[in-house]
Amino acid sequence: MTVPNGTADPTTLTLTFVAEFDAAPEAVWQVWEDPRKLERWWGPPTYPATFTRHEFVAGGESRYHMTGPDGDQPSGWWRIEAIDRPRSLEFSDGFAGSDGEPLPGDEPVTMRVTFEPTDRGTRMTTVTHFVSTEQMEKMIKMGMQEGMGLAMGQIDAVLASAG
Amino acid sequence: MVVDEFADGELDRVFRALADPTRRDILARTLRSGESVSSLAGHYRMSFAAVQKHVAALERAGLVRKRRHGREQIVHGSPETLHRAATLLAQYERLWSDRATRIAGVLANEEGSTT
């Protein structure tokens, strides 16, 4: 994998993220299409994701939850807005309530993902558009428990070795 | 000035990212002092409506606020939001770079299992 990089535009609350993989577009597409593969990278390591529904077609919906070390389960949903296998994908990603269904009135993040063949494999570009900084904060909190989880883990290790 | 609130690299990064020159200029002007939309429109070779649209885009993003002053709406830049947004976007970028690392892992694993 080539070192990925992002371009942020705070005025429009948009982040463009580019990563290159040593695998064909079809293989990279599979990590999104196959829910078992998707689960291996969508949620942070300490908050693995489970997709209970994954309809990878235009208008299709997904339901997922992530399970934290303390058993907490933040949930989310996707709606596929446009899909062109294996070239591009556009979807909405929002928060779900404890019943796993979309929270009423919650405005989702929109994401566009493109897969382009390169000499070495695939260039994957994700463009995320947020509606507000509050929404960004929520999304990042949901996606980044990892950082906190890892820090906690390290503290545990330090305490264990000290004891 | 707002510059003091940023580390050097961070500021560079934010302003490099501000792709639209007009919006960047509006933001810079309104961070210095409040300005009405009509006064802002005087600075650019574009219609009042076009400037208004740029202001609306900045307002939606929380980068400027409008305050009524008599009959006019005065636009004020929000340095806190700019800073907060830049910090958050940097965190979100980290989230994606972690994901990309794991995707590479999934792909490598797969290759390994077929050979």
Side-chain angles (χ1 to χ4, degrees):
Chain A
M1 183 183 68
T2 311
V3 177
N5 66 86
T7 311
D9 183 348
T11 48
T12 56
L13 301 183
T14 301
L15 184 95
T16 302
F17 187 85
V18 183
E20 295 198 358
F21 301 105
D22 305 331
E26 180 59 35
V28 182
W29 182 266
Q30 278 294 321
V31 309
W32 289 84
E33 185 177 50
D34 180 343
R36 301 294 85 85
K37 287 182 185 164
L38 177 59
E39 286 171 349
R40 289 166 58 192
W41 64 268
W42 182 256
T46 51
Y47 270 73
T50 306
F51 278 75
T52 51
R53 184 172 159 192
H54 193 49
E55 300 163 350
F56 215 55
V57 293
E61 298 216 355
S62 303
R63 298 287 182 269
Y64 68 91
H65 59 263
M66 303 197 282
T67 307
D70 302 327
D72 55 318
Q73 291 198 329
S75 305
W77 58 274
W78 288 6
R79 186 178 54 242
I80 306 291
E81 309 295 350
I83 192 162
D84 179 16
R85 177 197 184 108
R87 282 178 287 272
S88 67
L89 169 68
E90 205 175 314
F91 67 100
S92 303
D93 179 19
F95 291 99
S98 50
D99 62 353
E101 291 304 308
L103 283 174
D106 180 58
E107 207 171 344
V109 163
T110 50
M111 279 198 67
R112 185 172 166 79
V113 193
T114 50
F115 307 85
E116 296 163 89
T118 63
D119 293 345
R120 297 190 52 198
T122 307
R123 179 182 304 118
M124 183 181 88
T125 306
T126 64
V127 181
T128 312
H129 181 72
F130 296 93
V131 292
S132 66
T133 44
E134 287 70 25
Q135 185 191 39
M136 280 167 67
E137 265 164 4
K138 268 175 88 177
M139 270 291 164
I140 290 159
K141 217 175 144 199
M142 185 162 166
M144 291 214 20
Q145 272 102 354
E146 172 189 25
M148 277 180 65
L150 290 177
M152 294 298 193
Q154 279 154 2
I155 291 168
D156 284 345
V158 169
L159 291 175
S161 66
Chain B
M1 243 290 266
V2 59
V3 174
D4 301 328
E5 295 188 30
F6 293 89
D8 284 352
E10 200 179 359
L11 186 72
D12 285 346
R13 188 188 155 91
V14 169
F15 282 92
R16 221 181 305 138
L18 296 178
D20 187 285
T22 306
R23 281 205 290 270
R24 192 166 60 228
D25 198 64
I26 292 174
L27 189 56
R29 285 175 192 278
T30 58
L31 282 167
R32 282 198 292 271
S33 67
E35 237 185 282
S36 69
V37 180
S38 48
S39 155
L40 283 169
H43 301 300
Y44 312 106
R45 286 190 187 185
M46 58 177 76
S47 68
F48 178 82
V51 173
Q52 216 166 17
K53 265 192 180 171
H54 281 307
V55 170
L58 288 166
E59 197 182 14
R60 268 199 305 279
L63 285 162
V64 300
R65 284 192 202 102
K66 278 196 215 151
R67 276 182 220 139
R68 185 159 282 289
H69 182 78
R71 291 180 55 192
E72 282 195 311
Q73 294 265 35
I74 308 297
V75 183
H76 296 269
S78 306
E80 324 78 46
T81 306
L82 185 66
H83 192 190
R84 201 161 128 226
T87 309
L88 285 170
L89 285 168
Q91 285 181 319
Y92 192 69
E93 183 186 343
R94 218 197 85 201
L95 168 67
W96 268 102
S97 82
D98 289 344
R99 280 179 176 163
T101 306
R102 287 198 297 280
I103 289 176
V106 172
L107 293 167
N109 219 321
E110 203 164 279
E111 207 179 302
S113 66
T114 52
T115 48

